[in-house]
Amino acid sequence: MVTQTPPKSKKNPQLVLDIFIWEATQNKEKDLRSMDGASTKGVLSHLSLLEVQARSRKTQPRQPSRVKELKAKAEALMTQRDQLKAEIETHKSLQKLRASMDKQCTHEEEEEEEEEEEEEEEEEEEEMAEDSENSQLLRLMARHTQLKDLLHAHDIIGGYNVIKTRKGKGLCVSLTTAYNGVYLENYNLEMDLKPTLRISRDNIPPFIPLKSLAEQSNMETDIRTLLDPLSQHLNAFAGRKQQLKLVKELHKSVQVMESNALCSLLVLMFTVPREKTAVLCSLEYTDHTRCLPTRVHFECEDKGLPDSPEWKKNGSLLMETPVHKALITMKKMGDIV
Amino acid sequence: MMEKMSEENIEDVRVLEAQIEHLQAEVAALQRQQQDNHKDITFHLRGHMQDAMSYVCGQKQAGEKEKVLSKLTEEVEELEEDLKRQTQMNGISLNSCTTKTLQSSGRQLVQQLCVSGHCSELVFQVEFQLSEVKKGQRSERTISDLNVVMDTSDLQNFSSFLSGVEESRDLLLFFRTLRTFSDRCDDRRRTFQHFQEKYPSVVSLPGGCRSAVMTLNHPELPGCVLFVHWSVEVSREGRVTPKIELLTKIPEKALQLFPSQAVSGAAEAFQSLLRILGPEAAVESVIMAVSLSQDT
C-alpha cells in the first residue's frame, strides 16, 4: 500500500473533498460506519457550507452590479425623456411666440387690431413672466426664425439678393428668372463699388445688351435703373426659351424649322388636316422685353389660306397667347394636326 | 440570509426592467414627435440657434447664458441688416412670411407660403405653394396655386393683370410689374405735387396727390378748366404704360369766341407736345399757358 502524505488543506472545497477521499481510501478496510460520527458530520456540513459559498459567489457578485447597471440605464432614459420633453415644450413656445409676432407685423397698419394686439401682448407677457429667465432668449430665437423666413421670401419673389463683398468694396447681385411658375436660370453680376459703380464680372448671355443697359441707366444713384430693365430682358428671354422647349415637348406634330439663341425668331411648320398642306409660320419677337411676338406671318402654297377667317383668327391668337398654348387651341379647332 | 438577499435583487431587477421598458416607450413616442417638429423647416435649428435651444432645454453651464445670448444677438443683428438691404434693393417691403411644410421627404419639399407686405402705398398679400424637387445636382422649383389679394378699388386696370398672373402662376412677374407700376404712380405723384406747390393758384388736385387727375384753371376764368389725366395702365402681359391726356372743359360761349383750333384741338396738340418735350415739360407748358404768364 502506498502511503502518500495528505494534501495540505487550504480551506479549498475541492481540497477538502480530496482530503475526504484520501481519508476514505486510507481507511477502506475500516468500516466507514465506525468512523468518528462527529468527524463525518463535521466534514459533510463543512462541505455543504462550502458548496453554498461556491454557488453564491457565482450569483451574488452579479446581482448588485446588475441592479446598478439597470439603475444607470433607467436614469439615462429619464434624462433623455426629460430632455426631449423640454425640447418639444420649447418648440411649442417658439411657435406660439412666432405666431403672435407674425400677427403683430401683419396688422401693424390696421387700427382695429390694436386693442387685440395689446391684449395679446399682455397675455404673452404674463406667460413669459413665469419663465422670464428664458423669455428674452426665446423672443430672440423667434425673431431669428422670422428674419430667416422674410429673407427667404425676398429670394423666392425674385429679389436681387444683393450681397456686399470684399469688405464693402464689391457687390454681388443675383437675377432670378421664371416662367409660368417654373423657376429657370439664375444670372449673376459682380460689381465694383469704388471708385465708381461698374460691372466687373457677369454670366449674362452675350445677346442680352448688358453694356447698353448699363450706359442708359442711372445705376450709380439707383441701381434698380439697371437691374429692373436687365431683369425684364432676362425674364422675357427665359420665357421665350421655355415656350420653345414646350413646343418641342408637347407638339411633336409641329416642326421647328428655325430658331435663334435669343429666341427672338421662331419658324414653325404646321400641317393642315385633310388636305395635309404645309403652313409655314414665322413669329418675330422684336421687342426683347416681351414674351409675345410683335409679328406673325403665314406662308402657304394655298395663297388664300392666310387670309381665311380661321387663319386670321389664328394670327391674332398667336399674337396674344404664348405659342405653346396657342397651338393647343389651334389643334382643338382642327386647324392643324 | 443569503437567499433573502437574492430574492430582493431579483425583485429589484424585475421592477427596474419594467420601468426601463416604460421609459423606452415614452422616449420613442417623444422622438417621433420631435421628428415631426423637425419637418417644419422654419424650426429646423442650426448653429447658434441650436446652441440657444440646448441652453433653454436645460443644458445650462455657468456663464453659458451670456455667451449664447450674445452670439445669437449678433446673428440676429446681421439678419436685420440683411433684411434692410434686401428691402431697399428690391423696392418691396415684406411684413410677414409664414410657411407651412406640407410634404418633406428626402427628394421633395412642398411648402405653403403666405407673404404679405407693401410696395410704396400698394398693399398685397400673396399665397402660394412652392415645390422643390431634387434632380441630380440641381433642384427644380415650381409655384402652384397662386392667390393674390390686393385692394384693387383704386386699381381697375390692375385687376385684369392680377387674374391673368394667378392663372399663369407668374409670381415673379407679379412683383416686377407691381414695382414698375408703383414707380410710375410715384412719378405721377411727385410731378403733380411739384406743380401744385409751384403754381398753387392754377393747379389743384381734386382727388389728392395719388389720383390720376390734375385740374388747371385760371382763377379769373372759373368756367374754363383743363384736366390732365395721367393714368398708369397695366396690360394683361404685365406691361406698364403711363398715358397722359389733356381734356378740356370749355363753355360753348367761349368756344364760339375762339373758332380756331387752338382751343378745341388742345387735346391733340398736347399729344404732340408730349412727344417732343416729355411729360413734365409738356404739362408745365400747359400750366404756363393757363396761368397766362409772360414767361416762355
Side-chain angles (χ1 to χ4, degrees):
Chain A
M1 197 176 67
V2 181
T3 346
Q4 295 169 0
T5 46
K8 293 223 168 82
S9 162
K10 282 184 198 150
K11 299 249 196 253
N12 184 326
Q14 189 56 48
L15 214 53
V16 169
L17 220 58
D18 290 344
I19 294 171
F20 179 81
I21 292 167
W22 185 85
E23 273 182 345
T25 51
Q26 291 307 301
N27 295 314
K28 76 179 173 191
E29 277 134 304
K30 276 190 190 168
D31 189 0
L32 281 170
R33 272 175 274 140
S34 71
M35 273 180 82
D36 185 29
S39 70
T40 318
K41 267 204 202 109
V43 170
L44 281 173
S45 70
H46 189 64
L47 259 180
S48 76
L49 182 71
L50 289 169
E51 199 183 349
V52 170
Q53 272 184 358
R55 217 186 297 142
S56 68
R57 225 175 280 156
K58 272 190 204 141
T59 54
Q60 202 179 38
R62 280 181 203 171
Q63 268 187 340
S65 67
R66 171 96 180 126
V67 167
K68 255 193 221 160
E69 196 182 300
L70 290 174
K71 271 196 177 150
K73 192 167 178 184
E75 280 198 38
L77 281 169
M78 277 191 272
T79 314
Q80 193 182 14
R81 177 199 59 186
D82 294 340
Q83 176 72 18
L84 282 166
K85 269 191 178 164
E87 278 183 33
I88 290 167
E89 275 308 304
T90 310
H91 187 271
K92 248 192 229 147
S93 307
L94 265 181
Q95 274 185 320
K96 250 165 84 185
L97 250 178
R98 172 67 198 275
S100 85
M101 276 178 158
D102 284 336
K103 241 196 199 151
Q104 279 181 345
C105 288
T106 322
H107 296 148
E108 243 162 22
E109 290 145 28
E110 291 180 32
E111 283 167 18
E112 351 157 19
E113 305 291 295
E114 260 176 49
E115 278 182 43
E116 278 178 64
E117 251 180 65
E118 280 175 55
E119 278 172 33
E120 268 179 288
E121 259 190 78
E122 278 173 36
E123 265 176 56
E124 285 295 327
E125 278 180 51
E126 275 170 32
E127 279 173 45
M128 285 293 110
E130 288 161 16
D131 192 10
S132 60
E133 191 196 306
N134 284 332
S135 70
Q136 188 191 16
L137 194 52
L138 280 172
R139 272 193 184 276
L140 204 60
M141 287 173 80
R143 179 62 178 159
H144 190 285
T145 67
Q146 199 179 37
L147 289 166
K148 281 241 130 159
D149 279 351
L150 287 170
L151 286 166
H152 178 57
H154 268 285
D155 177 37
I156 289 292
I157 66 175
Y160 295 126
N161 268 345
V162 178
I163 307 173
K164 284 216 162 129
T165 57
R166 291 180 277 137
K167 301 212 175 120
K169 283 191 271 182
L171 218 60
C172 195
V173 179
S174 171
L175 295 128
T176 319
T177 59
Y179 183 70
N180 275 9
V182 181
Y183 284 84
L184 302 164
E185 293 285 324
N186 261 4
Y187 298 95
N188 297 292
L189 284 181
E190 267 180 47
M191 308 180 90
D192 291 330
L193 283 171
K194 306 198 173 129
T196 48
L197 185 67
R198 71 180 188 100
I199 302 168
S200 61
R201 267 169 63 173
D202 68 86
N203 63 355
I204 311 277
F207 42 77
I208 302 284
L210 176 62
K211 197 155 165 224
S212 77
L213 285 175
E215 281 165 12
Q216 285 167 31
S217 78
N218 212 3
M219 64 183 189
E220 277 152 44
T221 6
D222 183 1
I223 201 174
R224 273 209 291 121
T225 55
L226 164 63
L227 298 179
D228 285 353
L230 182 58
S231 174
Q232 212 183 7
H233 270 85
L234 287 169
N235 271 281
F237 162 62
R240 295 191 302 268
K241 189 167 154 200
Q242 185 72 351
Q243 283 178 51
L244 177 58
K245 177 170 172 242
L246 290 168
V247 166
K248 287 182 179 168
E249 276 174 25
L250 304 171
H251 304 286
K252 309 273 188 194
S253 59
V254 172
Q255 221 182 328
V256 176
M257 305 298 288
E258 206 180 310
S259 69
N260 61 355
L262 179 54
C263 296
S264 59
L265 173 68
L266 190 56
V267 180
L268 303 171
M269 185 143 89
F270 306 140
T271 315
V272 177
R274 292 183 300 269
E275 298 96 24
K276 301 283 182 198
T277 32
V279 180
L280 210 63
C281 171
S282 321
L283 300 164
E284 288 170 32
Y285 301 79
T286 45
D287 186 345
H288 301 161
T289 63
R290 292 179 64 200
C291 292
L292 290 175
T294 43
R295 185 173 176 262
V296 175
H297 182 70
F298 298 119
E299 255 178 67
C300 184
E301 259 187 29
D302 171 3
K303 300 285 175 191
L305 187 141
D307 292 318
S308 66
E310 302 86 36
W311 283 90
K312 279 220 155 116
K313 232 194 202 168
N314 286 335
S316 321
L317 184 69
L318 284 164
M319 288 282 283
E320 292 158 12
T321 321
V323 57
H324 62 291
K325 288 195 178 143
L327 291 179
I328 298 174
T329 310
M330 285 163 74
K331 276 182 181 172
K332 256 196 209 148
M333 302 298 287
D335 291 336
I336 61 169
V337 165
Chain B
M1 188 189 70
M2 222 52 80
E3 282 180 12
K4 251 202 193 147
M5 273 184 70
S6 60
E7 252 177 50
E8 265 182 8
N9 287 331
I10 291 175
E11 194 48 43
D12 284 346
V13 165
R14 233 179 284 151
V15 166
L16 282 168
E17 282 178 343
Q19 190 182 26
I20 284 172
E21 217 178 287
H22 185 259
L23 283 168
Q24 280 171 333
E26 260 193 281
V27 165
L30 289 169
Q31 277 174 331
R32 272 194 299 274
Q33 204 179 340
Q34 196 187 44
Q35 264 184 356
D36 274 343
N37 286 346
H38 281 174
K39 282 192 176 155
D40 187 346
I41 299 299
T42 306
F43 294 99
H44 195 59
L45 309 176
R46 276 180 285 236
H48 294 145
M49 278 290 271
Q50 185 56 55
D51 294 341
M53 174 63 109
S54 305
Y55 174 81
V56 171
C57 293
Q59 292 170 9
K60 297 177 210 234
Q61 290 164 20
E64 186 84 15
K65 183 172 186 185
E66 286 73 36
K67 199 169 88 176
V68 166
L69 205 56
S70 83
K71 282 263 148 106
L72 197 60
T73 308
E74 207 181 298
E75 204 169 282
V76 168
E77 277 168 10
E78 270 173 35
L79 290 171
E80 302 266 12
E81 277 305 307
D82 203 357
L83 183 62
K84 274 201 195 109
R85 201 172 343 147
Q86 300 310 325
T87 306
Q88 197 214 355
M89 286 294 177
N90 296 334
I92 306 249
S93 190
L94 298 179
N95 298 341
S96 80
C97 167
T98 51
T99 55
K100 201 166 102 174
T101 307
L102 301 174
Q103 202 186 321
S104 165
S105 69
R107 286 184 58 237
Q108 192 180 38
L109 175 66
V110 181
Q111 291 178 294
Q112 177 94 15
L113 279 93
C114 182
V115 179
S116 74
H118 59 93
C119 179
S120 185
E121 304 276 317
L122 303 163
V123 178
F124 60 82
Q125 191 175 315
V126 174
E127 228 181 284
F128 56 93
Q129 240 182 58
L130 175 67
S131 323
E132 239 171 296
V133 178
K134 283 205 174 79
K135 284 204 172 157
Q137 286 256 337
R138 316 179 67 218
S139 55
E140 234 179 55
R141 291 191 292 184
T142 31
I143 303 267
S144 52
D145 268 346
L146 177 59
N147 186 33
V148 179
V149 178
M150 277 186 78
D151 181 7
T152 48
S153 50
D154 300 329
L155 310 166
Q156 300 99 334
N157 37 16
F158 216 71
S159 40
S160 124
F161 165 69
L162 281 185
S163 53
V165 102
E166 277 180 346
E167 220 181 279
S168 62
R169 291 154 289 136
D170 271 313
L171 180 70
L172 271 63
L173 177 67
F174 167 70
F175 280 103
R176 278 201 306 278
T177 310
L178 179 67
R179 202 170 45 212
T180 312
F181 178 73
S182 166
D183 286 347
R184 297 292 81 80
C185 289
D186 280 348
D187 290 342
R188 173 181 66 194
R189 178 185 49 78
R190 254 196 327 269
T191 312
F192 278 8
Q193 274 180 322
H194 165 76
F195 286 133
Q196 189 187 38
E197 280 160 31
K198 197 168 171 190
Y199 306 99
S201 55
V202 174
V203 174
S204 66
L205 302 170
C209 60
R210 291 204 65 82
S211 78
V213 179
M214 180 167 81
T215 62
L216 312 171
N217 79 312
H218 196 286
E220 286 168 30
L221 292 170
C224 301
V225 189
L226 267 65
F227 299 94
V228 174
H229 191 267
W230 184 330
S231 64
V232 182
E233 296 185 347
V234 182
S235 77
R236 213 179 146 91
E237 216 188 321
R239 297 189 68 71
V240 180
T241 337
K243 209 165 99 176
I244 311 177
E245 291 175 316
L246 185 70
L247 305 162
T248 60
K249 191 180 112 187
I250 314 271
E252 269 301 310
K253 278 202 183 143
L255 280 174
Q256 282 165 11
L257 290 171
F258 298 95
S260 79
Q261 286 291 299
V263 170
S264 50
E268 282 163 44
F270 180 71
Q271 292 302 317
S272 318
L273 210 57
L274 258 184
R275 281 191 291 272
I276 302 166
L277 297 176
E280 286 86 13
V283 171
E284 185 146 32
S285 10
V286 176
I287 295 174
M288 303 287 284
V290 171
S291 65
L292 302 172
S293 81
Q294 301 301 316
D295 307 334
T296 345

